Amino acid sequence: KLKGMRAKELFSGRKFVLYDSLSMDDVEQGQLGNCYFLSVLSELANRPEIYDKIFITKERTKNGCYLVRFLIRGIQKVVCVDDFFLSTPKGQFAFAMSGPRELWVQVLEKAWAKINTSYAATIAGIPSESFSTLSEAPCVTYIHRKYKVDDLWKMLKKAKAMGYYLATNTKANPNAEKYGLVEGHAYSLTNIEELELG
């Protein structure tokens, strides 16, 4: 059964910060099915200037309250969250985590849950929902099956060359695991390469 705990309890007295150096490797999914959102956090970790704009509060606070800025339906909105998080019976963060001593992923996940009315309401989605909210950039979603493979590949190469953020998901693809991917999971695309398979 999950219970609520303050961040300092969950870190068991260890020193922690809101964020230090942002990295894709910081983002760890917990028990919540919101990989579409976390894949975007991971992708944007390469763009610290975006997080500098998102986080109004930039350091750990004594009162445990944090302010972040999201773009909701074209309007900037400041979201305030506290550092009271759901935990497992073992006293660990139940949902997303950001490494052994940072809190930034947990704070953003909680803010995303708040604007969506609950953690449960954030289960399942498409990356473009959170891309536009976090990056304030216009987003486009392409349904892969509607395009020929060669056309989709050209679109990806062009988007990458223009510096666009890219994310995708494997849907219910039974072949995903054959390629080292998880079925029904979202991924950020950090690079695309064309390989000759022999």
Side-chain angles (χ1 to χ4, degrees):
K1 188 176 179 181
L2 302 181
K3 63 177 181 176
M5 293 176 70
R6 297 292 301 274
K8 62 184 178 182
E9 298 174 287
L10 286 160
F11 281 106
S12 305
R14 290 174 288 134
K15 288 185 178 180
F16 68 94
V17 295
L18 179 57
Y19 60 90
D20 189 0
S21 56
L22 298 166
S23 166
M24 306 182 92
D25 297 331
D26 291 344
V27 184
E28 298 177 37
Q29 186 172 0
Q31 297 180 18
L32 202 59
N34 61 354
C35 56
Y36 71 97
F37 176 73
L38 300 178
S39 69
V40 172
L41 294 188
S42 180
E43 174 69 15
L44 295 180
N46 291 324
R47 312 283 177 104
E49 69 278 5
I50 290 177
Y51 281 111
D52 191 52
K53 195 172 182 181
I54 291 170
F55 280 104
I56 297 172
T57 306
K58 301 190 186 302
E59 297 180 355
R60 176 184 170 186
T61 62
K62 288 183 178 179
N63 66 3
C65 290
Y66 298 92
L67 298 176
V68 297
R69 183 185 292 109
F70 284 167
L71 189 72
I72 312 297
R73 295 181 196 91
I75 300 170
Q76 285 194 0
K77 181 172 182 178
V78 175
V79 184
C80 179
V81 296
D82 58 31
D83 70 349
F84 196 72
F85 297 96
L86 290 174
S87 69
T88 66
K90 292 184 178 180
Q92 299 169 325
F93 288 100
F95 300 150
M97 295 171 286
S98 42
R101 56 180 299 270
E102 292 182 308
L103 197 62
W104 69 276
V105 173
Q106 295 94 311
V107 167
L108 291 179
E109 182 185 54
K110 187 168 187 176
W112 182 246
K114 187 171 184 177
I115 64 170
N116 283 283
T117 69
S118 70
Y119 279 107
T122 67
I123 296 172
I126 54 176
S128 59
E129 295 175 63
S130 39
F131 259 131
S132 58
T133 300
L134 295 164
S135 71
E136 300 186 10
C139 296
V140 178
T141 298
Y142 293 102
I143 309 301
H144 296 190
R145 69 178 177 273
K146 293 185 177 182
Y147 297 90
K148 293 178 181 176
V149 172
D150 288 344
D151 292 339
L152 192 58
W153 180 247
K154 286 176 188 174
M155 290 160 57
L156 283 170
K157 286 202 297 188
K158 184 177 179 182
K160 186 63 183 174
M162 295 180 76
Y164 293 166
Y165 310 123
L166 300 171
T168 191
N169 64 60
T170 54
K171 286 278 198 177
N173 188 333
N175 293 319
E177 291 186 18
K178 187 165 66 174
Y179 298 102
L181 302 172
V182 176
E183 185 179 350
H185 196 60
Y187 291 90
S188 60
L189 298 179
T190 58
N191 199 10
I192 58 172
E193 296 284 346
E194 194 164 2
L195 301 173
E196 291 282 340
L197 298 176

